[in-house]
């Protein structure tokens, strides 16, 4: 078995030696610097831009403004194209915008021979704005009379959808129900991959080539073509290794602008390299979503009805838009099914940075709100939170007719039981929660709902090309991208297993996608890669194997049916006799002077399945009351993501998600000045990303129930780890202190306010302690 | 003052000199003049640690170290850590073995700080190790496996020193 082994990464050596080439390491030496003038207004109309001083700076080649760009509104979300116009993303921005909709919007560029001149040029631009009132909060933006961001979207509502099940109004009339209501607020956060976004573009034979730090090269080709108004075939996108993406790079960021800039300087190479400050504000952020949940609980602990309203802060441009809010709206009634559910989701434009995809795609928000409310419900009826969840969570056999997903196993209960055992939950739940001193211990849990890939909402397709090399190894290419998660290693393992090679090292995965060469795939998102690539790997491997055995037929005088490929050799099935190696076969076929053959296979598989991927987090905290600081002392995620392709990489994936989610729970948020709309902490010093000091050892455990729809029994793991740690921490703090905190991040500012409100912090507190 | 100045230094064991812009950072000089592209740029203001190199054996964020300050200094980048035939040092191998690498962008900086820690020959507690490594940001790994790689290598070296 090659699949299921803890193999080292295929790109490990190059990354450990610093040889791996990211976009900037491939930069043409003569690339011109494009630097962007970002608006310093939250909402305004650009009346004019005086470029004379900038243009006069030595080294400045060209200045282009929002008055120069083509009038071709485009959508940036990294979604597959839809043949149904009603199912397409909202095209609401231009390459540079006259209508400034957030502090940081793009109004002009300076193209220069060197970086200093380009930056000086940007500073020398004189922009005359007509200022407009702005709005930063989603619910404020929905009010009549609020500043309007886009034509055609009254009250700034990009979209509103409902999910209704049963009769909520009728259900809540049941006598004896306990009402548990809360408002749960999540912050604007950013992906903060360590490589900022960047790209360069040039023209070759009249076509535009863009080399970009992106997760989605094939989708970017389409968006660039639409934005600059050229045929799609005129665009070539090259995706080298990238320094993390987490969804930010599942969006057209500045690839379209860069492509257009090269056309404005005669096809010379031009580069756009976002600074960290730009990455925080002028790329994408996670949607801040405010949930309002009302649960009606019976005394026996079952849930009779729930009402969920959520307000998703879209920021200035649609990007991924309502997809994120809708995912939360529809996940909640699946995870805790109850007879009556009434849900409403609004996605609302505001004058904040555009929100897009970010690891978890709405689920960290939804699971935070849902799991906070569930803990509040358990507390209200006096049942242990684990017991309460066992009572109410999605049962085995649950089927969602829309996605076709079935909960084939009793996954949630299995994951929670495993987590409770590892953490010694029952003992700690009794022991903790009674501290009266300054340090108070608590243990909490939270579950998460996730699925795999985007079927049936969008197209799910994966293409694959395999080539038998003359040494018997196989080169493999697909459009699903390596972005750090280890996809290439998983592909190598699956390919070697599917063909019958000796080792995953006998597979050479072409890591870098080039849309001129690479079979079309839609890229890295929706935790789809291993699942969807699995289908096309299995199918293409079968095709390659068929060709190999057909060729072997003439060389070995054996019928293909009687042969197989094992450990890189063609063997006779019955007696396992080695007939010839793949190397001999490849050489003989290639250098046959009568009938030469280079053996390759290529195929596309349209995936019409989806797969639930569930799990939970257990967290232990110590709350320092006087310091208003919550410290996570132990954290465990338990996942059922089907069969693990590579357990070492799977664990690593969980660690990364946990770390990001601990930041989400305790420290991360982008702050905006209420008076101006200006972002105040768009740098890595003031934005509190988790460091080495901020969390304990990260623990991961798995339940490996094989996913029946996957040819490798596997399903999503990329995003799920980030979905449940924050609510588990919140619930542990509730256990430790008795205080339910309904906004993230639970930093000292929030804790001070909440602990004070609960009467835990008061002047006499220290005296009392001394007595 | 002229805008350009010759900077003489020793980089990865070799004496070199190059004319550089006095405004350039050491990151710029190493990447642009010497093509040492393991030196990464994540913030360019000394927050993330991706550009970390050793200067006279001490770890520095090269993005906030002027190239001209490198005059007469001995600089080690990740390229200088491997053997002449591409042999990996123990800490590089440990990063691979412990799955401490994901996107790989923070990796060079981390390994150079780890090299500084390990070269001290000291035994650090877990808390001390965490603190010593905390000048680097990583968004992929949660630091978990990086910690294991560094600790494992530290213990191995201490063991070897005793023997």
């Amino acid at each position: 078995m090659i699949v299921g082994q803890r193999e080292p990464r295929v790109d490990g050596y190059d990354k450990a030696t610093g040889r791996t080439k990211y976009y900037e390491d491939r930069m043409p030496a003569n690339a011109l610097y494009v630097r962007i003038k970002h608006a310093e207004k939250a909402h305004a109309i650009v009346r004019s831009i005086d470029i004379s001083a900038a243009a006069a700076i030595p080294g400045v080649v060209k200045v282009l403004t929002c008055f120069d760009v083509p009038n071709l509104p485009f959508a940036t979300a990294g979604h597959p194209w839809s043949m149904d116009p009603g199912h397409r993303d909202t095209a609401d921005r231009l390459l540079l915008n006259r209508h400034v909709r957030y502090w940081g919007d793009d109004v002009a560029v300076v193209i220069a021979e060197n970086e200093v001149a380009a930056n000086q040029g940007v500073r020398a631009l004189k922009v005359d704005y007509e200022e407009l009132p702005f709005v930063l909060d989603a619910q404020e933006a929905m009010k009549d009379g609020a500043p309007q961001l886009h034509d055609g979207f009254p009250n700034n509502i990009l979209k509103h959808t409902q999910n209704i099940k049963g009769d909520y109004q009728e259900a809540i009339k049941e006598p004896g129900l306990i009402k548990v209501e809360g408002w749960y607020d999540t912050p604007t956060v950013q992906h903060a991959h360590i490589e900022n976004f960047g790209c360069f573009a040039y023209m070759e034979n009249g076509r535009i080539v863009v080399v970009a730090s992106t997760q989605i090269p094939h989708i970017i080709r389409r968006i660039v073509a639409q934005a600059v108004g050229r045929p799609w075939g005129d665009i070539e996108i090259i995706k080298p290794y990238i320094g993390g993406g987490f969804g930010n790079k599942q969006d057209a960021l500045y690839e379209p602008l860069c492509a257009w800039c090269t056309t404005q300087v005669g096809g010379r190479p031009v580069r756009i390299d976002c600074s960290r400050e730009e990455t925080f504000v002028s790329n994408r952020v996670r949607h801040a979503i405010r949930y309002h949940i009302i649960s009606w609980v019976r005394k026996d602990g079952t849930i009779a009805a729930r009402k969920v309203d959520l307000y998703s802060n879209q920021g200035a441009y649609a990007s991924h838009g309502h997809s994120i809010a809708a995912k939360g709206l529809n996940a909640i009634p699946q995870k805790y099914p109850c007879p009556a559910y009434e849900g409403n989701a609004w996605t609302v434009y505001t004058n904040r940075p555009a929100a897009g995809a970010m690891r978890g795609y709405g689920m960290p928000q939804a699971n935070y709100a849902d799991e906070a409310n569930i803990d509040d419900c358990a507390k209200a009826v006096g049942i242990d939170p684990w017991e309460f969840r066992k009572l109410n969570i999605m049962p085995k056999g649950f089927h969602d007719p829309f996605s076709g997903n079935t909960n084939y196993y009793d996954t949630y209960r299995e994951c929670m039981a495993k987590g409770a055992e590892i953490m010694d939950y029952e003992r700690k739940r009794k022991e903790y929660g009674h501290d009266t001193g300054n340090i108070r211990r608590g243990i909490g849990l939270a579950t998460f709902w996730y699925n795999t890939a985007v079927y049936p909402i969008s197209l799910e397709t994966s293409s694959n090309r395999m080539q038998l090399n003359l040494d018997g190894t196989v080169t493999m290419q697909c459009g699903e991208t390596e972005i750090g998660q280890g996809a290439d290693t998983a592909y190598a393992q699956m390919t070697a297993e599917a063909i019958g090679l000796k080792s995953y090292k006998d597979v050479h995965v072409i890591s870098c996608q080039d849309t001129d060469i690479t079979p079309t795939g839609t890229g890295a998102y929706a935790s789809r890669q291993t699942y969807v690539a699995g289908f096309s790997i299995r199918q293409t491997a079968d095709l390659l194997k068929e060709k190999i055995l057909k060729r072997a037929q003439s060389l070995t005088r054996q019928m293909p049916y009687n042969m197989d490929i094992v450990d890189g050799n063609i063997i006779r099935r019955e007696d396992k006799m080695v007939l010839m190696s793949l190397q001999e076969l490849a050489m003989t076929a290639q250098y046959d002077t009568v009938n030469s053959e280079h053996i390759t296979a290529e195929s596309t598989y349209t995936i019409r399945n989806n797969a639930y991927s569930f799990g939970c987090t257990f967290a232990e905290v110590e709350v320092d009351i006087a310091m208003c600081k919550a410290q996570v002392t132990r954290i465990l995620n338990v996942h059922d993501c089907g069969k693990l392709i590579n357990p070492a990489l799977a664990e690593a994936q969980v660690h990364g998600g946990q770390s990001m989610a601990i930041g989400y729970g305790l420290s991360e948020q982008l702050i905006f000045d209420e008076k101006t709309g200006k972002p105040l902490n768009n740098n890595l010093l003031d934005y509190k990303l988790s460091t080495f000091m901020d969390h304990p050892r990260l623990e991961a455990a798995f339940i490996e129930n094989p996913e029946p729809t996957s040819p490798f029994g596997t399903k999503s793991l990329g995003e799920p780890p980030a979905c449940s740690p924050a609510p588990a921490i919140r619930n542990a703090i509730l256990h430790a202190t008795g205080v339910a905190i309904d906004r993230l991040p639970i930093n000292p500012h929030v804790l001070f306010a909440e602990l004070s409100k609960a009467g835990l912090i008061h002047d006499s507190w220290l005296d009392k302690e001394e007595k | 003052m002229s805008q350009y100045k010759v900077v003489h230094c020793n980089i990865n064991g070799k004496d070199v000199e190059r004319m550089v812009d006095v405004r350039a950072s050491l990151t710029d000089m190493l990447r642009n003049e010497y093509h040492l592209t393991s030196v990464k740029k994540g913030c360019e203001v000394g927050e993330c640690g991706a550009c970390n190199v050793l200067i006279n054996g001490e770890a520095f964020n090269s993005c906030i170290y002027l190239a001209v300050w490198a005059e007469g200094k001995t600089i080690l980048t990740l390229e200088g850590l491997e053997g002449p035939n591409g042999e990996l040092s123990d800490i590089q191998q440990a990063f691979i073995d412990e799955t401490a690498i994901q996107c790989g962008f923070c990796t060079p900086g981390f390994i150079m700080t780890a090299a500084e820690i390990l070269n001290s020959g000291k035994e650090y507690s877990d808390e001390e190790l965490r603190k010593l490594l905390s000048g680097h940001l990583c968004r992929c790994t949660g630091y978990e496996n990086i910690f294991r790689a560094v600790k494992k290598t530290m213990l191995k070296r201490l063991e070897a020193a005793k023997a």
Side-chain angles (χ1 to χ4, degrees), chain A residues 408-450:
Chain A
Y408 298 104
Y409 309 92
D410 200 6
T411 290
Y412 278 116
R413 289 173 185 80
E414 289 177 36
C415 287
M416 286 192 289
K418 184 160 191 169
E421 190 194 333
I422 296 171
M423 294 290 279
D424 197 6
Y425 170 84
E426 284 174 291
R427 182 182 67 77
K428 287 173 183 166
R429 188 77 198 181
K430 287 193 195 94
E431 189 184 324
Y432 300 170
H434 312 294
D435 297 327
T436 52
N438 183 44
I439 302 292
R440 302 191 183 184
R441 296 161 301 159
I443 183 166
L445 80 153
T447 63
F448 70 85
W449 177 103
Y450 217 76

Side-chain angles (χ1 to χ4, degrees), chain A residues 501-650:
Chain A
L501 304 179
K502 195 170 171 54
S503 160
Y504 80 117
K505 289 177 184 161
D506 296 329
V507 179
H508 309 303
V509 179
I510 300 183
S511 188
C512 297
Q513 280 73 16
D514 178 333
T515 55
D516 273 11
I517 301 166
T518 313
T520 300
T522 51
Y525 55 86
S527 301
R528 64 190 287 279
Q529 307 265 98
T530 308
Y531 182 71
V532 300
F535 290 87
S536 67
I537 286 174
R538 189 61 88 179
Q539 177 174 276
T540 310
D542 280 350
L543 289 172
L544 187 75
K545 208 166 154 178
E546 194 184 316
K547 284 189 177 183
I548 290 169
L549 296 183
K550 198 173 166 213
R551 188 81 197 191
Q553 182 180 11
S554 62
L555 300 170
T556 63
R557 293 171 287 109
Q558 304 296 317
M559 190 189 180
Y561 175 79
N562 287 341
M563 293 185 286
D564 198 1
I565 304 173
V566 175
D567 285 345
N569 291 314
I570 295 157
I571 64 156
R572 193 161 60 192
R573 277 175 194 268
E574 190 57 36
D575 56 3
K576 310 277 185 261
M577 190 177 89
V578 173
L579 302 170
M580 65 192 309
S581 68
L582 283 178
Q583 180 181 9
E584 280 175 84
L585 177 109
M587 290 287 284
T588 313
Q590 181 71 70
Y591 295 109
D592 184 328
T593 53
V594 179
N595 180 19
S596 171
E597 185 183 8
H598 123 107
I599 298 177
T600 65
E602 181 166 345
S603 76
T604 299
Y605 194 92
T606 313
I607 296 98
R608 300 182 68 203
N609 292 104
N610 197 307
Y612 280 142
S613 185
F614 300 146
C616 61
T617 300
F618 284 77
E620 281 182 52
V621 298
E622 283 183 9
V623 181
D624 183 327
I625 303 286
M627 295 295 288
C628 295
K629 196 167 174 2
Q631 179 88 31
V632 179
T633 52
R634 194 172 172 194
I635 191 157
L636 167 76
N637 271 31
V638 187
H639 292 263
D640 177 1
C641 56
K643 300 298 282 182
L644 301 180
I645 305 301
N646 184 323
L649 287 175

Side-chain angles (χ1 to χ4, degrees), chain A residues 62-115:
Chain A
K62 200 150 197 171
V63 180
L64 298 161
T65 73
C66 51
F67 298 96
D68 300 320
V69 297
N71 186 25
L72 294 170
F74 61 99
T76 64
H79 291 147
W81 185 241
S82 175
M83 296 304 288
D84 169 12
H87 195 66
R88 290 178 193 157
D89 291 295
T90 305
D92 62 358
R93 69 161 83 202
L94 300 177
L95 293 168
L96 298 166
N97 295 292
R98 285 184 64 191
H99 185 166
V100 169
R101 296 180 177 92
Y102 72 103
W103 188 295
D105 209 338
D106 315 318
V107 297
V109 292
V110 175
I111 307 176
E113 286 164 4
N114 61 72
E115 195 174 6

Side-chain angles (χ1 to χ4, degrees), chain A residues 186-244:
Chain A
T186 60
T188 297
V189 296
Q190 218 267 337
H191 316 69
H193 32 71
I194 305 302
E195 182 201 34
N196 289 313
F197 171 77
C199 61
F200 61 91
Y202 53 92
M203 295 189 73
E204 199 170 70
N205 298 324
R207 299 167 71 230
I208 302 171
V209 184
V210 186
V211 179
S213 181
T214 181
Q215 302 171 215
I216 48 166
H218 283 94
I219 291 175
I220 294 294
R221 173 171 58 178
R222 183 257 301 169
I223 300 174
V224 168
Q226 291 170 333
V228 302
R230 281 180 172 249
W232 296 13
D234 263 13
I235 314 296
E236 178 182 1
I237 307 292
I238 296 172
K239 178 237 161 243
Y241 285 97
I242 77 170

Side-chain angles (χ1 to χ4, degrees), chain A residues 6-154:
Chain A
R6 304 177 71 89
E7 301 287 8
R9 295 177 66 103
V10 294
D11 51 8
Y13 179 89
D14 275 23
K15 286 180 174 173
T17 53
R19 297 178 190 196
T20 301
K21 296 275 185 279
Y22 302 81
Y23 91 92
E24 201 182 350
D25 306 326
R26 295 171 161 227
M27 188 65 68
N30 61 340
L32 301 171
Y33 288 80
V34 179
R35 290 297 178 259
I36 301 163
K37 172 68 182 175
H38 297 290
E40 288 166 327
K41 300 287 172 207
H43 198 194
I45 300 290
V46 177
R47 282 200 202 102
S48 65
I49 301 180
D50 178 358
I51 66 164
S52 53
I57 290 169
V60 169
V61 173
K62 200 150 197 171
V63 180
L64 298 161
T65 73
C66 51
F67 298 96
D68 300 320
V69 297
N71 186 25
L72 294 170
F74 61 99
T76 64
H79 291 147
W81 185 241
S82 175
M83 296 304 288
D84 169 12
H87 195 66
R88 290 178 193 157
D89 291 295
T90 305
D92 62 358
R93 69 161 83 202
L94 300 177
L95 293 168
L96 298 166
N97 295 292
R98 285 184 64 191
H99 185 166
V100 169
R101 296 180 177 92
Y102 72 103
W103 188 295
D105 209 338
D106 315 318
V107 297
V109 292
V110 175
I111 307 176
E113 286 164 4
N114 61 72
E115 195 174 6
V116 174
N119 286 331
Q120 285 173 341
V122 167
R123 283 195 296 272
L125 290 172
K126 292 185 192 75
V127 185
D128 180 25
Y129 297 103
E130 178 195 334
E131 274 198 71
L132 300 170
F134 66 91
V135 60
L136 299 176
D137 182 88
Q139 284 178 280
E140 291 297 320
M142 288 168 72
K143 288 182 180 164
D144 290 335
Q148 291 296 296
L149 271 78
H150 293 272
D151 291 339
F153 296 95

